[in-house]
Amino acid sequence: MHTLAGKTALVTGSTSGIGLGIATELARQGATIVLNGFGDPAPARAAIEALGVPVHYHGADMSKPAEIADLMQFAADSAGGVDILVNNAGIQHVAAVEDFPPERWDAIIAINLSSAFHTTRLAIPAMKARGWGRIVNLASVHGLVGSAQKSAYVAAKHGLVGFTKVVALELAQTGITCNAICPGWVRTPLVEKQIEARAEQGGISLAQAQVALLAEKQPSHDFVTPEQLGQLAVFLCSPAAAQIRGAAWNVDGGWVAQ
Ligand code: NAD
């Protein structure tokens, strides 16, 4: 059954990784998809098209408010507006605070936090007019707990969890919900870079670096998958989730239970 037929989902940063996984699961439920992200969008577009739903792509740089406004206008013009907004675009930089390049700090805050403010503020009026909407913010376990060397990322993700709560409260008496998903380690290009850095710094193999990365924080010693996160997003879009508002839902193999 296509539970999201007739809905349009915009997933930021959906040319790879978790964003593409979420777009895929929403498409499986019949949603029209608006893709966004860097790199060649052709493989992501083909993967979604194969599921038989309309696909649109806009390459807005999510660090730039004017380009975000253009993306939202594009979604309205090409796909009839955004019913499901998934704020997923994100980057990482790993360094101690005193060595952290200020321009990397600014980029992480802009892409991982401020972009969600801009898409959300532009999406709400049409969602209110339709009386229905779903806003899903891809935060992280780092929206709930800290890790050394990730000051900008942890600050942005804690900010995104706080933003999620405020939006949920402001919309509490509407048909629009806003929630955050907080994944632990998911094997995507963002994490591949951290496995490679760990292997290089420790003089160990990539396989050993992967085991060490998981063992340090994630009790299951297993990666979360983009498909699992996509299916949680589908659930958050369902009628059963209509009273889930302002949640920060960890999907983390037990990371924050420790
Ligand atoms: P990824 O690197 O595979 O994908 C990131 C996506 O964002 C790509 O499509 C990329 O093109 C896009 N992007 C990056 N900068 C952009 C910009 N300025 N404008 C537009 N698009 C941009 O990473 P991922 O692991 O899939 O991460 C997706 C989200 O999930 C991020 O917000 C990340 O913080 C979060 N997350 C990831 C993990 C993990 O373990 N991989 C864990 C928790 C949370």
Side-chain angles (χ1 to χ4, degrees):
M1 214 175 67
H2 281 169
T3 57
L4 298 176
K7 307 286 191 206
T8 293
L10 164 62
V11 186
T12 70
S14 46
T15 47
S16 80
I18 294 168
L20 180 54
I22 291 177
T24 302
E25 296 306 319
L26 295 173
R28 276 192 218 289
Q29 296 302 320
T32 294
I33 301 295
V34 181
L35 295 169
N36 156 261
F38 292 160
D40 179 7
R45 183 190 276 273
I48 302 292
E49 264 167 4
L51 298 169
V53 296
V55 191
H56 307 272
Y57 167 78
H58 190 287
D61 179 340
M62 299 306 290
S63 69
K64 304 213 162 79
E67 293 191 27
I68 295 172
D70 199 50
L71 164 65
M72 299 306 286
Q73 190 59 51
F74 169 81
D77 294 344
S78 63
V82 177
D83 303 292
I84 299 164
L85 171 62
V86 182
N87 290 308
N88 168 80
I91 59 168
Q92 176 63 285
H93 187 84
V94 180
V97 172
E98 67 270 32
D99 302 326
F100 214 93
E103 61 280 6
R104 287 284 83 198
W105 173 279
D106 288 345
I108 288 175
I109 299 298
I111 297 164
N112 296 20
L113 175 58
S114 301
S115 73
F117 159 68
H118 291 294
T119 53
T120 301
R121 74 183 171 80
L122 294 167
I124 285 173
M127 287 180 175
K128 277 186 172 166
R130 284 194 286 267
W132 193 92
R134 291 289 186 267
I135 302 169
V136 179
N137 294 326
L138 258 292
S140 164
V141 286
H142 287 118
L144 304 170
V145 296
S147 287
Q149 311 267 319
K150 295 186 175 174
S151 54
Y153 189 86
V154 169
K157 296 298 188 181
H158 274 69
L160 188 57
V161 168
F163 179 67
T164 300
K165 292 175 183 174
V166 174
V167 173
L169 290 173
E170 289 182 6
L171 300 173
Q173 291 169 24
T174 73
I176 309 163
T177 71
C178 180
N179 292 289
I181 296 178
C182 298
W185 290 122
V186 186
R187 187 152 198 173
T188 67
L190 183 141
V191 167
E192 294 292 348
K193 284 183 210 149
Q194 294 175 63
I195 295 172
E196 285 161 18
R198 200 178 263 260
E200 201 180 302
Q201 280 156 18
I204 54 178
S205 71
L206 286 175
Q208 287 168 319
Q210 179 185 309
V211 169
L213 176 114
L214 285 169
E216 185 184 41
K217 301 268 185 181
Q218 194 143 305
S220 65
H221 292 196
D222 210 355
F223 286 104
V224 178
T225 68
E227 293 73 25
Q228 289 164 345
L229 299 173
Q231 287 173 24
L232 176 54
V234 167
F235 171 68
L236 290 172
C237 292
S238 73
Q243 290 307 323
I244 300 178
R245 294 171 184 264
W249 193 326
N250 48 309
V251 184
D252 62 358
W255 184 323
V256 302
Q258 297 169 98

